[in-house]
Amino acid sequence: MPPARRGRPTSLGDEAADPWPRVERGQLAAWLLKMWRLYGHDDILTIRQMAAAVRTPPVDNATVSRWENSRATVPVSALRRYERLFGLPPGELVAVVTALGRDRPVGRRTAPPGAELLGKCLDRAPVSAAEWADLTVSLTQPRRRLARPVWDTLVHRLLTEMCLSVGWRYLLRLSALQRVHRHPEGGAALVAATEEFVTEPACQLIIDQIALLAANPTPAASRRLFRLLCEPRNDAEQLGALFAWAARPPRAPDMVRRLEAVVRELRAGASTAPPVREAASDVVAALFRHRPSRPGARSAPLGKAGEAAFGALHGALTRAQIRHHDDDVLGPRILRQALASTDSDLRILTVNVLHASPFRGILADTVASLLSSGRTRTGSPIHRVLVDLQGSLGEARHRPVVENLVRRDTARDAAAVALAHLPGRTDLRLWHHVLTAQPTGARTQRAVLYAVGMKGDRDGLRLLRAHAPLVRARANWWLRLPAEASAGAAL
């Protein structure tokens, strides 16, 4: 006799048009909460037990069921209870679930005490992502006033730390900055700080700051994005503007027409760089999703090698889920979306959902096995996807697998970027080998610089300054960053 289903099935939406339909943001959040209830402990928690565990705010069985079917938004206080119950880092579920809500920044409904925290953020002490989220909730209350020099100091530090963060810590700081962008005084200071980053020739981290301008409701921010899109000094500026418009397309008809004309020209241009062309396609898709027909982005074909990788990941997920409940209908669709969604913003959020799930470890081990077994051709599209996925899901024990790929010409750049996002550090001798064993181009040197800089590895940065003349000025920029920014970004 098959086991009884516990609770209502997860809402799936319309599957008629596609065997692998898009998993929407609300469904992703619902799946994540349900998986923690089923697999967060040695034994299953029933919906009744989960409702009893979430004491603030008090909830009943029906409320938990609505959360798990994407029928209701989960309050931040309840997400924090989930984190404590399952031993998760403070802020991880809050960051991922509220990022899926897009327009609901992380934070409490009421402001937390902010005086002591403000002093800490203005000092040189490391500040965690959760503390930044709490502080911005406090500072953006309607009656709170703050001097402009204080805003300038705070947003510059928070902007730097966001760029140095990865995963859910990045999402939490991103949400905090989105909140500041909506505040008149804080938003003005944040626009000025963004301009500082963008106009610094040696700065390697400008895409995210530009993309953040999408959260600023002022017409001046929109005009700035159009200028960066149409008159960029480099691809990074143009990418940042494209990411901004993909996240929040304009609503005014005349702006939509202008934007669509520009991005279609970029997408069709023979000289357009591949990342810019891909981002332009994302903007076109976003514009269509905001029209009545709404042809939502789906997953692209994976090919033979990609299907084999998907099969291995799906098999690992199924084996991890065998204890407690029947087939997970959303799981395989979420995996496919993480590998091949044609909406890059949704694909990144889906990977963050997998990272925050109980299955992160087994999925990271499976990706490491695929990369080290040679079953996917080095440098192929699916191999690059798997390297990127390893950087997002992996732990320190997976670094050797990616470090081996750094020694291969066809995988070097992607592997270096993945190492920037993995916990731990790479031995200086490997970077010395990469830089001196054979000539390396500017793209590889920039990838290595990013990997070294994101770790705050000052010895590695000095090595790059000595052996990589193409990125010497940018290495100096990384060395000028305050030490507390790197320390805080990891918290």
Side-chain angles (χ1 to χ4, degrees), residues 155-172:
V155 299
H156 197 281
R157 177 174 177 179
L158 180 52
L159 202 55
T160 303
E161 288 190 17
M162 182 201 71
C163 295
L164 298 177
S165 303
V166 297
W168 65 268
R169 294 174 179 85
Y170 169 89
L171 291 176
L172 207 55

Side-chain angles (χ1 to χ4, degrees), residues 29-40:
W31 178 86
L32 183 58
L33 295 178
K34 184 173 184 178
M35 291 304 104
W36 274 112
R37 179 174 65 80
L38 295 174
Y39 296 99

Side-chain angles (χ1 to χ4, degrees), residues 36-45 85-86 320 323-324:
W36 274 112
R37 179 174 65 80
L38 295 174
Y39 296 99
H41 282 313
D42 292 337
D43 197 11
I44 189 173
L45 287 180
L85 185 64
F86 299 117
R323 293 181 303 159
H324 292 321

